[in-house]
C-alpha cells in the first residue's frame, strides 16, 4: 500500500480503533519509512552518477544535494520520534544505533572510517556511532573516501536502518503507553532533549558552538532543529485531543513565538531566545499543567534523559 493511502486510511478509521498516540506513532513511523525510501532513491541516483573513484560524491552537484536533503529530513524526523522516548524504541535497546548523541570524542568519524575500510562492512557487529544517522552524514560528507566505498556503505546502511525500524515496530506497546500520564512524560522528554541540544550550541551565551548538535558536518543543525520544533507542535495536538482546550492557553501563548525552523541561519541571540522559550514550555508543563491533571513527571524525563 502506498504511504499516502496508508496515512489516509489511518485518519479515516473509527475513533475506537486507536488512541491518539497510537495513531500519531503509526503515522510518524510510516513517514520515516517513506523518507528512508526517498533517501535510498536519491543516494542510488547519486552513486549511479559517479563514474569512478577519482570523483567524490560531493562533486556531483545537484545529485549530491538531493541525497543530502533527503538524509537531513530523515534525520530530523527520526529525532522528532526518538526524543519522545517511545516505549517500543526504548524496549528495543536500539536508540543509540539510530542516533548517537552527544559525541564529544567524535567517535563517529573514527568508527565510520574503520567500517568503510573493512572488507566485510558488517553492520551487525559495528559500533553504534558508525551505523547511526550521524555515521551516514559523515560518509556522505567525507570527501577523502572512495565513492565506491561510500556507496557500498549506504547500501548496507539502508538495509540495516530498515531492519532496525522493523524490529522497533515488532514490539507491542504496553497499556501504559496510551495513558495521558505516559504521554505527558514523553512530551517532557522531547522538550527537555530539544532544550539540551540548543544549550549545547548556545549555552555559553557568548559564542555559538555549532559542533554541539547533530548535523554539524553538513551545516544542517537548523534543519534538524526545525523538525524538532515541528514534532513539539505535533505532539501538542495529540495531547490536546485528550484534554480540555483551556489547559493549553498559557502554553500556546508561548508556542506562538517558537521558531518555525525555516530560518537560513540564526545568530547567537536567536538561539538563546529559543532556549528560553523551550525552557518556559517545560516549566508550564511540569509545574502547572501536569499537576492540574494529577500527573507526575519523572526525573529522567524532566532532565531530558
Amino acid at each position: 500500500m502506498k504511504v499516502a493511502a496508508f496515512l489516509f486510511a489511518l485518519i479515516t478509521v473509527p475513533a475506537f480503533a486507536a488512541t491518539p498516540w497510537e495513531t500519531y506513532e503509526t503515522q510518524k513511523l510510516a513517514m520515516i519509512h517513506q523518507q528512508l525510501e526517498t533517501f535510498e532513491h536519491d543516494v542510488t541516483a547519486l552513486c549511479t552518477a559517479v563514474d569512478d573513484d577519482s570523483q567524490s560524491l560531493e562533486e556531483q552537484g545537484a545529485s549530491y544535494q538531493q541525497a543530502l536533503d533527503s538524509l537531513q529530513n530523515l534525520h530530523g524526523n527520526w529525532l522528532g520520534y526518538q526524543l519522545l522516548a517511545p516505549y517500543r524504541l526504548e524496549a528495543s535497546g536500539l536508540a543509540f544505533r539510530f542516533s548517537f548523541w552527544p559525541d564529544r570524542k567524535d567517535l563517529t568519524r573514527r568508527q565510520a572510517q574503520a567500517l568503510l575500510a573493512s572488507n566485510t562492512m558488517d553492520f551487525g557487529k559495528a559500533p553504534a556511532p558508525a551505523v547511526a544517522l550521524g555515521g551516514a552524514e559523515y560518509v556522505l560528507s567525507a570527501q577523502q573516501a572512495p565513492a565506491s566505498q561510500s556507496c557500498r556503505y549506504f547500501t548496507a546502511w539502508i538495509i540495516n536502518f530498515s531492519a532496525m525500524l522493523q524490529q522497533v515496530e515488532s514490539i507491542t506497546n504496553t497499556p501504559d503507553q496510551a495513558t495521558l500520564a505516559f504521554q505527558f512524560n514523553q512530551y517532557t522528554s522531547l522538550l527537555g532533549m530539544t532544550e539540551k541540544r540548543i544549550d549545547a550550541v548556545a549555552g555559553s551565551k557568548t559564542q555559538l558552538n555549532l559542533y554541539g548538535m547533530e548535523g554539524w558536518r553538513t551545516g544542517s543543525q537548523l534543519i534538524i532543529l526545525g523538525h524538532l520544533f515541528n514534532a513539539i507542535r505535533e505532539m501538542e495536538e495529540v495531547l490536546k485531543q485528550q484534554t480540555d482546550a483551556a489547559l493549553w492557553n498559557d502554553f500556546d501563548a508561548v508556542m506562538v513565538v517558537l521558531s518555525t525552523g525555516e530560518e537560513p541561519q540564526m545568530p547567537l541571540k536567536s538561539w538563546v531566545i529559543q532556549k528560553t522559550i523551550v525552557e518556559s514550555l517545560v516549566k508550564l508543563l511540569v509545574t502547572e499543567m501536569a499537576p492540574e491533571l494529577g500527573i507526575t513527571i519523572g526525573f529522567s524525563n524532566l532532565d531530558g534523559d
Side-chain angles (χ1 to χ4, degrees), residues 49-68:
V50 179
D51 294 328
D52 54 56
D53 281 344
S54 65
Q55 300 174 300
S56 70
L57 296 181
E58 199 166 357
E59 290 175 324
Q60 302 311 306
S63 295
Y64 173 81
Q65 189 60 49
Q66 188 69 34
L68 176 59

Side-chain angles (χ1 to χ4, degrees), residues 18-22 25 87-88 171-183 186 242:
T19 66
W21 161 253
E22 289 168 337
E25 183 181 30
Y87 170 77
R88 291 198 283 180
I171 296 172
T172 303
N173 274 323
T174 66
D176 287 345
Q177 183 81 24
T179 65
L180 200 55
F182 200 105
Q183 292 171 56
Q186 284 183 305
Q242 305 168 72

Side-chain angles (χ1 to χ4, degrees), residues 177-222:
Q177 183 81 24
T179 65
L180 200 55
F182 200 105
Q183 292 171 56
F184 259 75
N185 275 275
Q186 284 183 305
Y187 197 33
T188 306
S189 172
L190 172 61
L191 288 162
M193 290 301 288
T194 299
E195 189 275 327
K196 276 193 169 185
R197 281 159 170 78
I198 300 174
D199 186 64
V201 172
S204 73
K205 297 185 180 179
T206 58
Q207 63 180 4
L208 289 174
N209 172 27
L210 293 174
Y211 297 103
M213 185 178 168
E214 298 97 333
W216 64 266
R217 298 182 196 279
T218 54
S220 58
Q221 300 97 324
L222 284 180

Side-chain angles (χ1 to χ4, degrees), residues 16 86 153 248 276:
F16 60 81
Y153 170 93
W248 298 90
T276 302

Side-chain angles (χ1 to χ4, degrees), residues 236 240 244-255 284 289:
E236 182 194 10
K240 275 184 171 180
D244 189 335
L247 178 71
W248 298 90
N249 288 344
D250 291 343
F251 195 88
D252 284 337
V254 178
M255 279 282 278
L284 282 168
M289 299 166 68

